Amino acid sequence: LLLHRYALSNTSNQHSSILQHQVPMAPLNVGIVGATGAVGKEIIGCLEKCCSFPIDNLRLFGSKRSAGRKIDTSKFGNITIELFSEDSARECDVVFLAVDGDFSLAHAENICKGDDGAIVIDNSSAFRYKEGIPLVVPEINAETTKGKKLIANPNCTTAIGLMAVWPLHKLFGLSKMVMSTYQAASGAGQPGMDELMEGTRSVLNGERDVADNKVFAHPLPFNVIPHIDKFQDNGYTKEEMKVTW
């Protein structure tokens, strides 16, 4: 989905939109910031499987803790993780940000600034509500990315839900929708998945009656928590409100 989003969005002189012009796209220099996290790993996997998104060079960026590590990929070979810097990211044609909102707010606009900046596709919630930055589900509103260098993704529930209801809305119109979601620990990234795994192990092994919790507000193993993100003034959580924003 992310790769399709970029293919529709890229209208620069150097690389024309695949669907718009039906011509081969020049190989790109692509960067992933947050490459060692759960989302970053998934983006790498998508790039390895995607044949219609030509990549000349894949660069992976991380923190001081991750820099210098090597990641073996089936398509791009052995890649050494680079310490992130805005200057290094700006050397890429396209940069995927697989980071949290605070990081994106601090760096995304600087990476894409100016004619020589990269196109940035941000996976966080940082720019979803900012005027002038397209919030895109490519099958629905790809045309809004024309001429834009910073592109925001909707949250997972919104993107998947809209794919189902958009055709119905076009045919009949929708006035109200009730959406219930059951979300995985992976929504909290690798730390959330690790806490679920370790907590499940500790309970099954008899080490604890109830799993410890640091990432989640309550122990997650063998439990369902009706609470994601912070509560808003209207009584709904931020995760619930993201569907309406």
Side-chain angles (χ1 to χ4, degrees):
L1 194 63
L2 288 171
L3 306 185
H4 181 46
R5 190 165 296 151
Y6 171 70
L8 288 166
S9 71
N10 189 358
T11 56
S12 66
N13 291 332
Q14 184 178 6
H15 306 298
S16 297
S17 166
I18 293 176
L19 297 186
Q20 205 171 37
H21 300 289
Q22 296 296 315
V23 295
M25 187 166 60
L28 302 172
N29 184 13
V30 175
I32 302 173
V33 182
T36 61
V39 175
K41 291 176 181 177
E42 188 64 26
I43 294 175
I44 294 172
C46 289
L47 291 173
E48 289 186 300
K49 297 173 185 175
C50 184
C51 299
S52 61
F53 191 74
I55 298 175
D56 181 56
N57 184 39
L58 179 63
R59 300 176 65 179
L60 306 180
F61 299 101
S63 63
K64 289 182 179 179
R65 184 179 60 183
S66 301
R69 285 177 49 192
K70 294 185 183 294
I71 292 183
D72 188 36
T73 69
S74 60
K75 187 174 181 179
F76 309 105
N78 206 277
I79 304 175
T80 300
I81 298 174
E82 304 175 47
L83 179 63
F84 168 79
S85 73
E86 291 179 356
D87 289 339
S88 295
R90 285 174 59 84
E91 295 171 358
C92 300
D93 298 309
V94 184
V95 174
F96 293 95
L97 294 185
V99 292
D100 61 34
D102 290 338
F103 189 100
S104 292
L105 285 171
H107 300 289
E109 291 176 298
N110 291 333
I111 295 172
C112 67
K113 182 171 59 179
D115 294 336
D116 58 342
I119 290 176
V120 174
I121 300 175
D122 180 42
N123 199 57
S124 78
S125 62
F127 299 101
R128 288 172 181 164
Y129 330 115
K130 189 166 183 179
E131 188 72 25
I133 296 177
L135 179 61
V136 180
V137 178
E139 291 82 356
I140 296 173
N141 64 335
E143 71 281 355
T144 62
T145 64
K146 185 176 181 180
K148 302 294 185 179
K149 297 189 69 177
L150 178 54
I151 301 165
N153 290 330
N155 97 317
C156 53
T157 303
T158 305
I160 296 170
L162 287 179
M163 287 296 294
V165 302
W166 177 245
L168 298 175
H169 179 65
K170 286 197 297 182
L171 287 172
F172 308 109
L174 298 178
S175 60
K176 181 179 180 180
M177 180 173 66
V178 177
M179 182 179 291
S180 299
T181 70
Y182 301 86
Q183 301 192 23
S186 57
Q190 193 65 49
M193 292 189 288
D194 290 343
E195 181 169 294
L196 175 61
M197 181 71 73
E198 177 59 27
T200 301
R201 185 197 62 77
S202 67
V203 172
L204 290 177
N205 286 350
E207 299 171 12
R208 302 180 65 92
D209 292 330
V210 178
D212 193 16
N213 61 291
K214 295 180 181 177
V215 176
F216 297 103
H218 304 279
L220 191 58
F222 314 104
N223 195 13
V224 177
I225 304 172
H227 174 191
I228 304 178
D229 216 316
K230 299 175 183 177
F231 278 101
Q232 307 297 290
D233 292 339
N234 61 4
Y236 288 97
T237 65
K238 190 175 180 181
E239 183 70 15
E240 291 172 308
M241 291 306 300
K242 285 176 183 177
V243 179
T244 68
W245 288 337

